Amino acid sequence: MKKHLCSIILLLLMGSHLWAQTKQPNFLIILGDDISAKNIGCYGTKNLNTTPNIDKLANEGMVFKNMFVSEAICAPTRAELYTGLTPNNNGCNFNHAATKKGTLSIVQHLNTLGYRVGLTGKTHFRPASVYPFEFIDGFTKNANYNGTPPENWDGVTEFINRDKNQPFCLIICSVHAHAPWNAGDSSLWDPNTITLPKNLADTQQTREYFTEYLAEIKLFDEQVGRARKLLKKSNIENNTALIVLDENGAGMPGSKWTTYDMGVRSACIIKWPKGQRKTVTKAITQYCDIVPTLIDAAGGNVPSNLDGKSLLPIITGTKTTHREYAYFLYNNLKEGPEYKIRAITDGTYKFIWNTSPNNLYAIRVINGFDYGYVDKMEDRHVRKMYLSWLAKAGYDKNASKIVNRYRNRPEFELYDLNNDPEEMNNLADKPEFTSKLNQLKNALLEHMNTQNDSFLQKDKTDS
């Protein structure tokens, strides 16, 4: 009798163990706004004490060193993240554009697998039919919020604890560190001693706004910390995959609105539920890979029409490589004079093709005055920063170089990302790099053909 009883108990224990292994994980994605990965601690910032919670998470999970967005503007970034499709395929390939009707998003994919899918905070996507999230109150949707917005975590708490028998996916969309940069405590850093990225002209105005920007990154970091405490308090930390992303780069000249790394390289830290230890991967990955990863982890079959590929083999360690290249585009529609850019990286070199090199590169909120745009916001921070660059460019060689790099682009750019991470030294005209340039150019053209992206061919025909 005792022998049979022991056998029954053993079977029950084995069954509960198998159930725990196969139970669908929850997903919590925390998404920043206009933060360049290089300004986060675990990605090498020299401005300390900015992201202690994110850095702690990095010490417990997987850090993706080569995660990229396809287009460094808010709407295309979010459409790619939520659909698993690149901008040309989902239809949102310029800012404020709509995703193609009939496209399936993270909501439908996970609903089919039994998940409830919620979102709180910033949206910046349409139409509603593609993105039927359960919207949760508590975080502001206003990216241009003036000052520190209030937060209420009651809705988030209710959502994740509503039904422990149904898995959830929740996306917390912060508005930090979107301009204006006037939230948080900037006194934690001295504007005179902070380290600026090399792609920014060193002016007092730049230093002051960059300090405010760091304060907003810290607010985002605090949200990450609070979310982790909530998971632990709710006793669901061990069955929740936590993904922290910083969206596209800082809303400063030469970052957001470009294909430079300061715009397209994203922080991505993932803590998987099953006893993951600190890992750093240099596998080339893109935002469109997130949705396939969640479908795969939830036990579904990843649709073959998605551009993204599941990251689970990277997360579980069965593979160390993911993509040969990452691809980028920028369409300056509604943001300034027509300007189209295409780019590619193999993780070591970046090739950029500016299709309108004779045109002025301008963004309405930064240097719209260069083409007659009158900004309704008279006190816009990024424009005041840029104006300080122009003033210094009149007498400072380095500032002049940075301003010229921003406004006037050659047709081809090639950068060594290992030795020149801020992409300040163009190698495109150097004979010893001709082979590498042609290799990347051909790979880019091949990718464009698969994406039905005819912009470059059309521009070449018309020129």
Side-chain angles (χ1 to χ4, degrees), residues 92-111:
C92 184
N93 59 7
F94 61 92
N95 213 15
H96 311 300
T99 304
K100 295 175 184 176
K101 290 184 178 180
T103 302
L104 299 181
S105 72
I106 188 174
V107 185
Q108 294 93 341
H109 287 303
L110 291 184
N111 279 167

Side-chain angles (χ1 to χ4, degrees), residues 203-360:
T203 68
Q204 191 60 34
Q205 193 83 75
T206 300
R207 288 185 167 276
E208 289 174 0
Y209 280 135
F210 199 84
T211 304
E212 298 284 352
Y213 163 73
L214 292 176
E216 293 227 10
I217 296 177
K218 189 167 181 63
L219 287 178
F220 173 62
D221 178 78
E222 290 171 1
Q223 291 171 331
V224 172
R226 187 160 183 177
R228 291 201 70 185
K229 288 180 181 178
L230 181 58
L231 292 178
K232 188 173 184 179
K233 183 178 180 180
S234 301
N235 199 30
I236 56 175
E237 186 179 30
N238 291 332
N239 194 46
T240 301
L242 178 58
I243 303 173
V244 175
L245 302 164
D246 65 1
E247 205 208 34
N248 47 250
M252 299 176 185
S255 300
K256 183 181 179 180
W257 305 287
T258 76
T259 58
Y260 294 130
D261 260 29
M262 284 302 223
V264 296
R265 186 181 294 272
S266 176
C268 176
I269 301 99
I270 299 180
K271 187 176 187 300
W272 213 248
K274 296 178 182 178
Q276 189 183 35
R277 294 182 295 175
K278 178 182 179 181
T279 313
V280 175
T281 177
K282 293 184 178 180
I284 297 174
T285 57
Q286 298 204 242
Y287 263 37
C288 58
D289 294 326
I290 298 295
V291 162
T293 304
L294 304 190
I295 294 172
D296 192 9
N301 295 316
V302 178
S304 60
N305 68 319
L306 296 186
D307 294 307
K309 303 185 296 181
S310 174
L311 297 172
L312 274 191
I314 299 294
I315 294 170
T316 59
T318 58
K319 288 187 177 180
T320 57
T321 60
H322 190 67
R323 294 177 176 275
E324 185 176 5
Y325 302 110
Y327 305 93
F328 317 104
L329 71 157
Y330 179 69
N331 296 319
N332 201 13
L333 302 178
K334 298 186 178 182
E335 300 293 343
E338 184 171 338
Y339 207 104
K340 299 184 181 76
I341 309 171
R342 300 296 182 265
I344 181 175
T345 185
D346 60 5
T348 302
Y349 290 93
K350 166 89 69 64
F351 169 68
I352 299 174
W353 195 339
N354 298 296
T355 71
S356 308
N358 295 322
N359 289 4
L360 168 74

Side-chain angles (χ1 to χ4, degrees), residues 57-96:
L57 181 68
N59 284 325
E60 301 171 15
M62 175 167 277
V63 178
F64 287 74
K65 289 290 189 179
N66 286 312
M67 171 64 78
F68 298 98
V69 300
S70 291
E71 189 167 13
I73 352 175
C74 298
T77 292
R78 290 161 195 267
E80 179 183 8
L81 174 63
Y82 300 150
T83 66
L85 296 167
T86 54
N88 282 328
N89 282 339
N90 68 47
C92 184
N93 59 7
F94 61 92
N95 213 15
H96 311 300

Side-chain angles (χ1 to χ4, degrees), residues 259-261 325-329 341-354 410-417 423 426-428 433-434 436-445 448 456:
T259 58
Y260 294 130
D261 260 29
Y325 302 110
Y327 305 93
F328 317 104
L329 71 157
I341 309 171
R342 300 296 182 265
I344 181 175
T345 185
D346 60 5
T348 302
Y349 290 93
K350 166 89 69 64
F351 169 68
I352 299 174
W353 195 339
N354 298 296
E411 182 177 14
F412 300 139
E413 298 175 68
L414 181 70
Y415 297 101
D416 179 344
L417 300 179
E423 296 160 299
N426 186 8
L427 306 174
F433 293 99
T434 299
K436 174 57 69 174
L437 186 150
N438 287 333
Q439 173 197 337
L440 294 176
K441 180 182 176 183
N442 290 333
L444 177 59
L445 283 169
M448 289 174 58
L456 284 178

Side-chain angles (χ1 to χ4, degrees), residues 335 363-384:
E335 300 293 343
I363 303 298
R364 59 182 177 81
V365 298
I366 300 176
N367 61 324
F369 50 82
D370 278 337
Y371 64 95
Y373 175 78
V374 179
D375 197 340
K376 295 178 181 179
M377 293 179 64
E378 297 179 357
D379 198 37
R380 200 181 291 274
H381 290 174
V382 67
R383 186 173 66 252
K384 293 173 71 175

Side-chain angles (χ1 to χ4, degrees), residues 161-172:
N161 289 290
R162 184 184 303 164
D163 183 355
K164 294 294 177 70
N165 294 315
Q166 182 185 23
F168 69 81
C169 174
L170 174 62
I171 306 172
I172 298 176

